[in-house]
């Protein structure tokens, strides 16, 4: 092999290995930095809901509340985003006029180009006041259902999980849509034509061919969306209100903090290495969580491709 | 001659097509409405967000001092000043991030397409690139914090932000470059080998130029995306209201960080100074992102392989 070839091959292979090592490095560095703080922690890291890191000599921090709020907010967002994304993907692949399908898809993709801080500010300053009456109505008429019960912030106050979930759902739309669209597009034409020949209506064609064919891809896409939702930082840090001394209680009208928003909201405490360790520990849990979700999503999508 | 068909014969043969029942028709119509509705639901917030940014942001940006001054000389609740300091920070940090992640990402893509094809390592690399693209930006920021600031003991700086952005940009560059390299026809490579050109020269002179237009647009999209990131800025650099060109030391502003700082320190009453500054900065950021996308389109058109 010529020297030029050897250098180039080693360089590019090295870059590949570097990316693989990067994931491991992230985990290792976060773990090493988190250990001292975990050692100094005076409450149980996994089961406590308290988060007090202001005094480095008396660290008290547990992730239970963060974990619950993170998952709950993401699920609220996913429940709103999943059916809408499915509708958009079907619209773009099956309903939109051929000539307009690409421009329409581009419009949906534009949502992904909006910086998340702009979504956050729009959510709290513009959307939230408009949502207050809806929240209040839900709380008054359906308040007997715990999830619409009175939370730890007023329903007409804007910084609730409900507001955050709606904004987050908007941010998830382009992610779930683009992947589902790709899968739906690959439905074999023979299946569609077969169903049409049997006299199926357009909806029946979709129900009997497109949906069964694309189901795994759609589920995988939604899980990617979930991974994104779990890690979304600044939009939630801007929107969610953290009530002092009140913990999350399963109402969508609760306030609170997710892993990511808690870290982002308290960057001032990063001047102290021990306190920073508490946040790094929380970040490590978030990393493991998103890793697991993305791993599962990619496995589902990968299996589909192999068919 | 259709009239030969007798009345009885016609009745005996079943109709070729039966009317679709009302129930099925209704379901079909409902599905159509729902599907159209969901598309409109997605367009509504996009239009609403853009309207908000433009309508509220337009107030300050027509003035030259918005583009030529910083906020250092004005009080936080005083009208005036501009976002030059934040524009400089945004562009510097983004550019530094691109300088590191573009060669690295390109090399990974070249490895995957030209050298690794279907090897075990290539499969692992592809998978890890996918996983990396799912790493939350705040986790990337914490990693750089743990590496750069705690372990190496270096100060918080714009450069540390660039490093965190690299983690977010690499997967996007790899995915788009990989896709572009894959569609370069093998005939081109084989023709080059047949002429005795070494493989690395084939890649540099034949494969990359062919794929260049697609790669450029992918890189620019990725760049535009990381420029809007906020989370790493919070952890890795402090806000400064003054122009600071130094990427390696001291606080440095950028547009997202400026927006977050104003939000945290200033009143957000509509029409107040803080409110105007936030939406002005948001519009400036959107303009920069749109410009980058525009440049990407133009440049990639220019370098695209000529068709006939």
């Amino acid at each position: 092999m010529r020297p030029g070839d050897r250098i180039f091959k080693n360089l590019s292979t090295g870059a590949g290995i570097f990316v693989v090592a990067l994931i491991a490095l992230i985990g290792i560095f976060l773990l090493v930095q988190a250990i001292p703080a975990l050692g100094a922690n005076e409450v149980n890291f996994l089961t406590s809901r308290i988060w007090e890191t202001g005094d480095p000599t008396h660290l008290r921090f547990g992730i239970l509340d963060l974990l619950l709020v993170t998952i709950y907010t993401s699920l609220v967002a996913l429940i709103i985003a999943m059916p809408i994304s499915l509708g958009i993907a079907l619209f773009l692949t099956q309903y939109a006029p051929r000539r307009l399908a690409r421009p329409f898809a581009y419009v949906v993709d534009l949502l992904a180009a909006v910086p998340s801080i702009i979504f956050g500010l729009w959510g709290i300053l513009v959307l939230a006041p408009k949502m207050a009456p809806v929240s209040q109505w839900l709380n008054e008429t359906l308040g007997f259902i715990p999830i619409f019960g009175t939370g730890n912030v007023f329903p007409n106050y804007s910084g609730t999980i409900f507001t955050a979930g709606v904004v987050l759902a908007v941010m998830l739309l382009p992610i779930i849509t683009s992947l589902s669209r790709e899968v739906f597009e690959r439905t074999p034409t023979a299946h569609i034509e077969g169903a049409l020949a049997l006299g199926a209506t357009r909806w029946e064609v979709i129900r009997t061919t497109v949906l069964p064919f694309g189901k795994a891809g759609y589920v995988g896409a939604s899980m990617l969306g979930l991974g994104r939702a779990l890690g979304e930082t600044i939009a939630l840090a801007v929107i969610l209100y953290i009530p002092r001394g009140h913990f999350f209680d399963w109402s969508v009208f609760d306030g609170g903090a997710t892993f990511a928003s808690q870290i982002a909201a308290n960057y001032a405490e990063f001047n102290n290495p021990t306190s920073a360790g508490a946040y790094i520990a929380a970040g490590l849990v978030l990393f493991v969580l998103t890793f697991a979700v993305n791993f599962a999503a990619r496995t589902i999508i990968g299996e589909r491709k192999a068919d | 001659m259709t009239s030969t068909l007798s009345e009885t014969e016609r009745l005996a043969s079943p109709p070729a097509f039966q009317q679709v029942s009302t129930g099925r028709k209704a379901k079909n119509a409902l599905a159509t409405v729902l599907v159209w509705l969901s598309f409109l639901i997605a367009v509504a917030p996009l239009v609403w967000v853009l309207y908000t940014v433009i309508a509220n942001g337009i107030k300050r940006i027509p003035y030259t001092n918005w583009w030529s001054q910083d906020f250092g000389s004005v009080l936080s609740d005083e009208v005036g000043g501009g976002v030059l300091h934040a524009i400089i920070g945004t562009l510097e940090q983004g550019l530094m991030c691109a300088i590191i992640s573009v060669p690295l990402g390109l090399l990974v893509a070249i490895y995957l397409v030209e050298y690794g094809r279907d090897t075990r390592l290539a499969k692992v690399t592809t998978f890890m690139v996918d996983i990396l693209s799912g790493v939350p930006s705040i986790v990337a920021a914490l990693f750089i914090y743990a590496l750069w600031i705690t372990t190496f003991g270096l100060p918080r700086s714009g450069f540390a932000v660039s490093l965190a952005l690299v983690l977010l940009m690499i997967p996007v560059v790899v995915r788009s470059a990989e896709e572009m390299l894959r569609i370069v026809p093998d005939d081109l490579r084989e023709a080059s080998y047949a002429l005795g050109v070494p493989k690395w020269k084939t890649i540099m002179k034949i494969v990359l130029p062919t794929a260049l237009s697609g790669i450029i647009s992918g890189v620019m999209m990725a760049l535009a995306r990381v420029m809007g990131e906020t989370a790493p800025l919070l952890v890795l650099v402090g806000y400064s209201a003054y122009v600071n060109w130094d990427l390696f030391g001291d606080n440095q502003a950028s547009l997202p960080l400026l927006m977050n700082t104003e939000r945290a320190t200033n009143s957000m009453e509509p029409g107040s100074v803080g409110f105007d500054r936030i939406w002005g900065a948001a519009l400036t950021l959107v303009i920069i992102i749109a410009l980058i996308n525009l440049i990407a389109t133009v440049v990639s058109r220019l370098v695209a392989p000529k068709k006939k």
Side-chain angles (χ1 to χ4, degrees), chain B residues 65-66 68-78 80-89 237-245 250-255 257-259 261-262 265-266 277:
Chain B
N65 64 356
W66 179 259
S68 64
Q69 289 176 17
D70 55 28
F71 283 150
S73 51
V74 293
L75 297 172
S76 66
D77 57 353
E78 193 183 332
V83 292
L84 179 68
H85 59 310
I87 296 177
I88 289 171
V237 71
Y239 174 73
S240 157
Y242 294 90
V243 168
N244 171 22
W245 286 92
D250 291 338
N251 294 343
Q252 192 178 41
S254 56
L255 288 163
L257 185 58
L258 179 146
M259 285 155 73
T261 310
E262 288 292 331
T265 53
N266 242 333
R277 281 183 181 178

Side-chain angles (χ1 to χ4, degrees), chain A residues 4-46:
Chain A
D5 265 336
R6 203 172 328 116
I7 293 170
F8 206 70
K9 182 178 179 178
N10 290 341
L11 219 59
S12 67
T13 313
I17 294 172
F18 174 71
V19 169
V20 176
L22 215 49
I23 297 284
L25 282 178
I26 294 175
I28 292 168
F29 267 91
L30 294 183
L31 187 64
V32 168
Q33 296 294 326
I35 286 172
L38 287 174
N41 193 2
E42 292 176 2
V43 295
N44 189 307
F45 179 59
L46 294 176

Side-chain angles (χ1 to χ4, degrees), chain A residues 201 203, chain B residues 20-33:
Chain A
T201 62
W203 167 241
Chain B
V20 177
S21 73
T22 325
R24 290 173 61 206
K25 256 190 201 161
K27 264 189 201 160
N28 188 42
L30 181 68
T32 309
V33 169

